[in-house]
């Protein structure tokens, strides 16, 4: 468990990130509060998963340990490498406990300790609160020199991961060693054509829900002017190698495809898996599909390179 002194040190060091100032939000509507309770209560944590809660950089996190004997694991007593995963939920839903099963699959396959931060949610905490929390966790975990942890994220967490990686290029800690994105939400204008041509095939996300989530997160800021909230048009030069997954039938297909093209154009190594007939964040939500198992194995190979 992190001490109060450690947390205060992290906050002082975080000043070097030059993040936008925190802003006041507003109370979440009752239906959103109830939805949060319902989805969290429905989360099933598999029996026997080695996980615990911790405070890292002053931010509550769920930490899932790799199993003994896994590649890069801790059978010999050495500390395993770390993978930080930022969860999705449109910046307004989600809690780490809902991602423990997925984090366990990642930890078991990669031999990494998987850290899932419980970053603050909108509308109570609008942009940039989630980014401040992600940066605090990164500041506490990343060494000043050498390889940083692996960074991953799904949906809104994918957008947050890209924003964090963009910021980490210019701060005195190690940037992510690898960046793994699952159906990332990168363009908060929700203006891409795939919102239209995949509207019928995507049952998990829609232009209406994206706009509502973006409004709650941005609260008066224009998405097109906030590259750390909507990083689709940010300069990707200097980002680490990227592994990207999306479904060809989801409304965020264009977010994934445009980012992959722009990153490749900036000489960032990009490996992209665009797979048909699977939903938004499919490696997370359909664990029994063989293609999801293959995706997790692709992550293990990618982070082991």
């Amino acid at each position: 468990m992190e001490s109060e002194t450690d947390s205060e040190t992290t906050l002082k060091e975080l000043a070097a990130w030059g993040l936008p100032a925190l802003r006041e939000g507003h109370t979440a509507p009752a239906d959103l509060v109830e939805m949060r309770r319902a989805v969290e209560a429905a989360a099933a944590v598999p029996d026997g998963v080695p996980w615990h809660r911790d405070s890292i950089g002053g931010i509550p996190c769920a930490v899932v340990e790799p199993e003994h004997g896994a590649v890069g694991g801790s059978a010999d007593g050495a500390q395993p490498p770390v993978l930080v995963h930022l969860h999705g939920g449109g910046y307004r839903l989600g809690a780490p406990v809902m991602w423990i099963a997925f984090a366990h699959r990642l930890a078991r396959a990669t031999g990494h300790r998987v850290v899932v931060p419980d970053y603050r949610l909108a509308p109570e905490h609008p942009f940039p609160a989630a980014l401040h929390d992600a940066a605090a966790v990164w500041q506490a975990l990343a060494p000043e020199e050498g390889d940083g942890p692996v960074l991953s994220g799904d949906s809104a967490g994918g957008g947050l991961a890209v924003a964090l990686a963009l910021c980490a290029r210019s701060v005195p800690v190690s940037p992510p060693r690898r960046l793994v994105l699952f159906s990332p939400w990168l363009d908060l204008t929700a203006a891409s054509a795939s919102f239209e041509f995949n509207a019928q095939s995507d049952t998990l996300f829609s232009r209406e829900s994206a706009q509502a989530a973006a409004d709650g997160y941005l609260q008066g800021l224009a998405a097109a002017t906030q590259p750390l909230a909507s990083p689709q048009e940010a300069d990707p030069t200097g980002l680490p190698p990227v592994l990207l997954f999306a479904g060809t039938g989801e409304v965020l297909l264009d977010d994934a495809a445009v980012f992959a093209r722009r990153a490749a154009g900036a000489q960032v190594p990009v490996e992209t898996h665009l797979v048909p007939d699977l939903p938004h964040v499919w490696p997370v939500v359909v664990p029994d599909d063989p293609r999801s198992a293959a995706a997790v194995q692709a992550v293990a190979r990618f982070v082991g390179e």
Side-chain angles (χ1 to χ4, degrees), residues 252-271:
L252 294 184
L253 173 61
D254 282 350
D255 285 45
V258 170
F259 176 77
R261 184 173 66 249
R262 286 177 53 82
Q267 304 304 306
V268 175
V270 181
E271 179 182 332

Side-chain angles (χ1 to χ4, degrees), residues 89-141:
Y91 299 107
R92 58 181 178 171
L93 287 169
V97 68
M98 299 165 59
W99 273 262
I100 287 175
F102 179 63
H104 182 228
R105 289 192 282 134
L106 289 176
R108 187 172 55 192
T110 66
H112 284 54
R113 173 181 289 128
V114 180
V115 174
V116 186
D118 192 8
Y119 61 82
R120 287 170 288 179
L121 300 176
E124 301 97 319
H125 306 285
F127 171 79
L131 183 56
H132 276 249
D133 292 352
V137 172
W138 195 264
Q139 180 70 44
L141 290 174

Side-chain angles (χ1 to χ4, degrees), residues 28 32-40 92-93 121-124:
L32 177 57
V33 173
E34 181 55 35
M35 187 183 303
R36 289 173 180 169
R37 291 172 179 163
V39 295
E40 186 171 352
R92 58 181 178 171
L93 287 169
L121 300 176
E124 301 97 319

Side-chain angles (χ1 to χ4, degrees), residues 176-276:
R177 181 170 60 85
R178 293 285 190 273
L179 181 59
V180 183
L181 305 174
F182 305 93
S183 301
W185 186 25
L186 301 167
D187 179 6
L188 269 60
T189 68
S192 66
S194 56
F195 273 98
E196 293 294 335
F197 63 72
N198 281 337
Q200 298 304 311
S201 56
D202 192 336
T203 60
L204 291 181
F205 211 34
S206 67
R207 173 165 282 160
E208 291 72 25
S209 62
Q211 289 173 334
D215 288 345
Y217 185 52
L218 293 170
Q219 294 190 23
L221 299 178
T225 67
Q226 301 297 322
L228 294 181
S230 183
Q232 185 72 283
E233 296 302 319
D235 180 4
T237 301
L239 287 179
V242 176
L243 176 62
L244 191 153
F245 301 91
T248 60
E250 62 173 301
V251 296
L252 294 184
L253 173 61
D254 282 350
D255 285 45
V258 170
F259 176 77
R261 184 173 66 249
R262 286 177 53 82
Q267 304 304 306
V268 175
V270 181
E271 179 182 332
T272 305
H273 297 250
L274 302 179
V275 180

